[in-house]
Amino acid sequence: MLPGSSTSSRSPTTSSPNAPADAQRFQRFLSANCHGDHYTRPGCDVQQRELITFALLVALGGADSQVKAHVVANITVGNNRAQLLDVLTALLPQIGCPRTLDGLAQVDTAAPAAS
């Protein structure tokens, strides 16, 4: 069982506040052990961390909803579409076209190009 799992009605503090009661433990675990620990470490600022997280999720593949969420997070912390496209350009030779195009689709959805 995950740390902090219970049937508590406490709201999770991550991106899924409407998670069913039986899944809220995952939200609490992610908040405390992934997001909280990750963002409080020294060394990189939040903008760098978001770009790195975006790159890792795109490279991993199969994480489209998380990639999209981190596109939004990148924009929120002050990064821009051009920076995200630069990351995809750097990743292309290492991760190939399918994963790069999947990442690009999420950028286009969450941070569309200006008309």
Side-chain angles (χ1 to χ4, degrees):
M1 190 170 257
L2 293 171
S5 64
S6 72
T7 57
S8 166
S9 62
R10 185 179 75 132
S11 295
T13 57
T14 62
S15 60
S16 296
N18 298 320
D22 64 348
Q24 288 183 4
R25 62 182 167 217
F26 299 106
Q27 301 304 318
R28 288 191 299 273
F29 179 80
L30 289 170
S31 291
N33 298 296
C34 297
H35 301 154
D37 183 47
H38 175 75
Y39 285 103
T40 58
R41 292 179 191 161
C44 295
D45 63 32
V46 70
Q47 291 165 316
Q48 293 167 323
R49 288 178 203 277
E50 274 305 327
L51 285 173
I52 292 166
T53 301
F54 170 74
L56 291 172
L57 289 169
V58 170
L60 180 64
D64 290 345
S65 63
Q66 291 85 4
V67 171
K68 184 178 176 183
H70 282 280
V71 169
V72 172
N74 268 279
I75 301 303
T76 300
V77 301
N79 293 326
N80 59 45
R81 177 182 167 87
Q83 289 171 292
L84 296 171
L85 297 179
D86 287 347
V87 169
L88 292 175
T89 301
L91 288 175
L92 179 58
Q94 285 77 35
I95 68 172
C97 289
R99 288 186 179 174
T100 302
L101 292 174
D102 288 346
L104 179 59
Q106 296 310 313
V107 172
D108 285 341
T109 299
S115 300

